[in-house]
Amino acid sequence: MKSAIVTRFAPSPTGYLHLGHAYAAIFAETQARLAGGLFILRIEDIDVSRCKAEFEEAIYEDLRWLGLNWESPVRRQSAHLSDYGSALERLKKLSLIYPCFCTRGEIKAEIERAGGAPHGPEGPIYPGTCKHLPNDERDNRINNGISYALRLDLAKATEITGDLSWQDQTLGNQKTKLHEFGDIVLARKDIATSYHLSVTVDDALQGVTLVTRGEDLADATGIHRLLQSLLEYDVPQYMHHKILTNDDGKRFAKRDQSVTLRSLRAAGKTPTDIRAMIGLSS
Ligand code: GLU
């Protein structure tokens, strides 16, 4: 796929789309259209226990109703697990991945024992309990069927990449703040990848040149930037946009049925009304 600009909208089919999604989708489509580029839709369905076919169908229907068109075929992440596996293998070869056997409860207890842990955008930073386990102990636990996640050794990774930055068309030049994340999980036993890994791999494989998404994910871009560098991917531009909120200043939630596109449509709203409601009429 070669074009000046490729943008994407990447919803998870875990509920019906609401006004916040309409904003993100129309924002991405507009950036592509104004630049004569391509707009792609990606279904982020790696967490199969939470995703439903019914919600995926509703995504296509609601976006078509809004008047959006996207490139074919739609990439569904659940059909591409081997791509994420290959990326993990590359990171393993660089000795940047280690198995972590801690349960959530054990991590909490360890943090309490240590008198607390710094908090990052994704909660308390992992205290590194499994980081220095000897290899034979790791093998023993794995052979005994103890379940584990795979974590990225952040210190080693940043030794390879050095300081990194990324260009955001809204926020300007940004430096990664990776210490705020710690050794993030890149894959789990039940889900063989993670949001951070799959989104980085997909944006690269799909040739996305401009990632547009809510500003709540701006810090996470540092992780993606690090993975791009380790995996030798091209670096897209970014544009983090505001998060739409309701009259009480709270962001829309999938559980709030009153702002889903289908309930608004059932109440007689038109796509033009929706664009006016979210302030993206052009
Ligand atoms: N699937 C993510 C979401 O629904 C999209 C994240 C992204 O655009 O990188 O929030």
Side-chain angles (χ1 to χ4, degrees):
M1 209 185 269
K2 271 271 170 252
S3 166
I5 282 216
V6 181
T7 67
R8 76 340 185 246
F9 174 54
S12 294
T14 52
Y16 292 120
L17 297 186
H18 53 56
L19 285 174
H21 294 111
Y23 185 88
I26 293 174
F27 188 97
E29 191 265 353
T30 305
Q31 295 304 319
R33 189 165 32 81
L34 292 181
L38 301 177
F39 170 61
I40 61 182
L41 171 64
R42 181 165 74 227
I43 301 296
E44 302 215 324
D45 60 348
I46 52 170
D47 186 354
V48 285
S49 66
R50 294 178 56 227
C51 296
K52 289 205 174 116
E54 168 199 346
F55 294 136
E56 184 177 333
E57 278 313 308
I59 288 173
Y60 303 131
E61 191 184 301
D62 289 347
L63 294 179
R64 267 188 223 110
W65 175 72
L66 280 178
L68 300 184
N69 293 303
W70 51 89
E71 299 300 310
S72 291
V74 169
R75 183 174 172 97
R76 301 174 69 245
Q77 289 188 324
S78 57
H80 296 276
L81 295 181
S82 61
D83 288 334
Y84 316 129
S86 308
L88 265 183
E89 275 310 312
R90 285 176 69 181
L91 298 172
K92 265 189 207 160
K93 286 210 179 97
L94 295 168
S95 307
L96 295 177
I97 302 283
Y98 66 89
C100 169
F101 304 91
C102 299
T103 61
R104 276 178 216 277
E106 283 163 350
I107 294 176
K108 200 163 162 250
E110 176 63 29
I111 289 173
E112 274 162 21
R113 248 196 312 276
H119 272 246
E122 295 183 349
I125 294 173
Y126 176 62
T129 323
C130 288
K131 186 167 173 167
H132 301 294
L133 280 181
N135 277 338
D136 54 350
E137 177 60 24
R138 285 178 177 158
D139 293 346
N140 265 343
R141 294 191 192 187
I142 292 172
N143 293 338
N144 285 328
I146 301 179
S147 94
Y148 61 95
L150 293 174
R151 288 188 183 270
L152 179 71
D153 184 331
L154 189 72
K156 259 195 201 169
T158 46
E159 251 169 50
I160 296 178
T161 63
D163 288 340
L164 294 167
S165 60
W166 45 279
Q167 196 55 41
D168 191 297
Q169 294 183 11
T170 318
L171 307 170
N173 194 277
Q174 299 290 304
K175 294 211 176 346
T176 56
K177 294 180 229 153
L178 296 166
H179 55 280
E180 292 181 358
F181 286 86
D183 290 352
I184 51 154
V185 168
L186 288 184
R188 296 185 188 279
K189 193 167 183 233
D190 48 341
I191 307 175
T193 180
S194 61
Y195 161 66
H196 295 304
L197 183 65
S198 49
V199 87
T200 306
V201 169
D202 286 346
D203 283 338
L205 294 186
Q206 293 194 282
V208 172
T209 63
L210 176 63
V211 173
T212 68
R213 62 183 169 206
E215 62 195 6
D216 57 328
L217 286 167
D219 287 337
T221 301
I223 296 284
H224 307 165
R225 183 66 196 82
L226 175 69
L227 293 173
Q228 285 155 4
S229 176
L230 296 169
L231 295 166
E232 297 175 13
Y233 290 156
D234 287 345
V235 182
Q237 292 262 314
Y238 288 86
M239 203 181 222
H240 288 91
H241 55 67
K242 68 173 182 182
I243 303 280
L244 217 59
T245 51
N246 63 19
D247 292 342
D248 301 332
K250 292 213 179 91
R251 54 188 298 179
F252 297 112
K254 281 183 177 161
R255 61 181 175 279
D256 183 358
Q257 295 303 315
S258 65
V259 290
T260 63
L261 297 178
R262 44 200 46 217
S263 62
L264 292 164
R265 174 164 43 144
K269 298 283 186 213
T270 65
T272 309
D273 295 333
I274 302 291
R275 284 174 184 261
M277 286 167 83
I278 61 177
L280 287 179
S281 293
S282 63

